[in-house]
Amino acid sequence: MRAGAVQGRCLLGDPLSTPAHPRAAVVGIAGPALSAAEVALFQAAPPAGAILFARNVEHPAQLRALCDALRAVLGDSAPILIDQEGGRVARLRPPHWPAHPAAARFEDGPAEAARANAALIGLDCAAAGIDVVCAPVLDLRLPGAHGIIGDRAFSERPAEVARLGRAWCEGLLAAGVTPVVKHIPGHGRAAADSHLELPRVADPPAALAADFAPFAALAADPGRAAWAMTAHILYESLDPRRPATLSPTVIGEVIRGRIGFDGVLVSDDLAMKALAGDPGALAAEAIAAGCDLVLHCTGVPEETAAVLRGCPPLAPAGASRLAAARAAARAAARPLDRDALRAERDRHLAASA
């Protein structure tokens, strides 16, 4: 069934109409193919893009067809995202896709190994039609913190995180995909998992400077290629009432100001239990706080419809940042030899074992 051939009514309660200006939202879908209800919803109130999870992935041909169907509805420039860090956070897995090491495996090793590994991940994603990869994690791996970050982080040392994070971004970009650094302004001190509850960090701004440092180092790089994903954390010394995702203070003064990040800013998943409230209201609040895009990942149609009802259209500044990131990824892409990349990565990892 062709996506454009679907008829009917969508979950917004309105008849199908000419696609509107996209909402400032990236949403999940329910399964391995677009349903007629999802097509109708996206035609009536298109999100800016989509994000995929294991429930959406069966095999390479199916995944490519799903990405093609999404773009048939949302447009050729609509970003399609996936969490593909390597290690325990990977939606593309064997037997159809190779496993890749977690970020911590590259600590104190040559940047070439991290760059080659990220390029291999990028090639897997690009071949499927996915053009935005939610990695690398630039959080610090701090002793005593909750294990939700753990080996997803490169190191507890900011300079090492910045060094390997930069190489990771370069590898993804060489494969033609856009990286999303996370979780700005830093998740490493959290003593709780934001998927389950709202973490609170009481450290003063002087201590948080270490967490900011890797993001600031990459924000200073030329171009606006990488996106950044917010942390659902309440930093008591920065804004005692609102988590970063919903805080105009944290976004305006810290992320855009002190850190200097001027690229696409996307929220972490609004459905995580760190946040409470109606999905549409949360979407509007996050955009009002300064996010360019919100992320809602459940794929539950009623929740997706609520997000799209409440989320404002993509603002001109956000559209400009998206276009700049796409252009930077196209400019950075180059022909890559998968076998040579794998050999280079494995040689460096073996030498540092």
Side-chain angles (χ1 to χ4, degrees), residues 147-169:
I148 187 61
I149 298 299
D151 67 355
R152 298 168 63 194
F154 293 111
S155 176
E156 68 178 276
R157 291 169 286 137
E160 180 68 354
V161 173
R163 181 181 74 90
L164 293 175
R166 179 176 289 109
W168 208 273
C169 288

Side-chain angles (χ1 to χ4, degrees), residues 230-243:
T230 62
H232 291 337
I233 294 179
L234 193 147
Y235 302 90
E236 295 177 354
S237 65
L238 304 177
D239 185 335
R241 296 191 302 111
R242 293 164 294 198

Side-chain angles (χ1 to χ4, degrees), residues 18 33 57 66 98 108 111 131 227 247 260 272 275 307 326 345:
T18 302
V57 176
L66 174 58
D108 294 325
D131 62 339
W227 298 14
S247 172
M272 290 162 61
L275 306 182
V307 169
R326 282 194 298 270
R345 178 198 64 187

Side-chain angles (χ1 to χ4, degrees), residues 245-248 251 281-292 294 312:
T245 299
L246 306 179
S247 172
I251 292 176
L282 287 173
E285 189 175 355
I287 296 300
C291 290
D292 294 307
V294 296

Side-chain angles (χ1 to χ4, degrees), residues 160-323:
E160 180 68 354
V161 173
R163 181 181 74 90
L164 293 175
R166 179 176 289 109
W168 208 273
C169 288
E170 290 169 352
L172 290 173
L173 287 163
V177 300
T178 297
V180 183
V181 299
K182 52 191 186 184
H183 306 82
I184 198 168
H187 204 297
R189 295 175 191 273
D193 179 356
S194 55
H195 293 86
L196 305 176
E197 60 182 299
L198 175 63
R200 293 175 174 265
V201 170
D203 299 66
L208 295 176
D211 302 64
F212 303 163
F215 297 100
L218 269 67
D221 288 348
R224 291 177 5 188
W227 298 14
M229 181 183 292
T230 62
H232 291 337
I233 294 179
L234 193 147
Y235 302 90
E236 295 177 354
S237 65
L238 304 177
D239 185 335
R241 296 191 302 111
R242 293 164 294 198
T245 299
L246 306 179
S247 172
T249 301
V250 175
I251 292 176
E253 296 181 10
V254 178
I255 295 175
R256 298 297 194 195
R258 182 170 175 181
I259 289 173
F261 178 73
D262 192 35
V264 176
L265 185 66
V266 61
S267 78
D268 206 344
D269 183 8
L270 296 181
M272 290 162 61
K273 294 181 180 178
L275 306 182
D278 172 77
L282 287 173
E285 189 175 355
I287 296 300
C291 290
D292 294 307
L293 297 167
V294 296
L295 194 61
H296 191 276
C297 299
T298 66
V300 175
E302 294 77 12
E303 294 180 10
T304 303
V307 169
L308 295 177
R309 267 196 308 270
C311 190
L314 179 65
S320 176
R321 290 182 176 118
L322 279 168

Side-chain angles (χ1 to χ4, degrees), residues 34-124:
L34 279 174
S35 69
E38 286 170 330
V39 171
L41 173 62
F42 293 169
Q43 287 180 329
I51 183 167
L52 305 181
F53 289 86
R55 66 178 182 266
N56 308 123
V57 176
E58 292 179 341
H59 53 77
Q62 167 271 327
L63 182 57
R64 183 74 211 203
L66 174 58
C67 291
D68 290 346
L70 281 165
R71 292 213 170 88
V73 177
L74 301 181
D76 290 341
S77 64
I80 298 177
L81 286 64
I82 198 165
D83 286 297
Q84 192 72 5
E85 300 173 9
R88 56 196 159 103
V89 178
R91 315 306 183 198
L92 309 183
R93 290 181 174 270
H96 297 297
W97 292 273
H100 299 283
R105 178 67 181 83
F106 297 88
E107 185 172 14
D108 294 325
E112 290 79 8
R115 189 177 297 110
N117 189 72
L120 288 166
I121 290 173
L123 288 173
D124 293 340

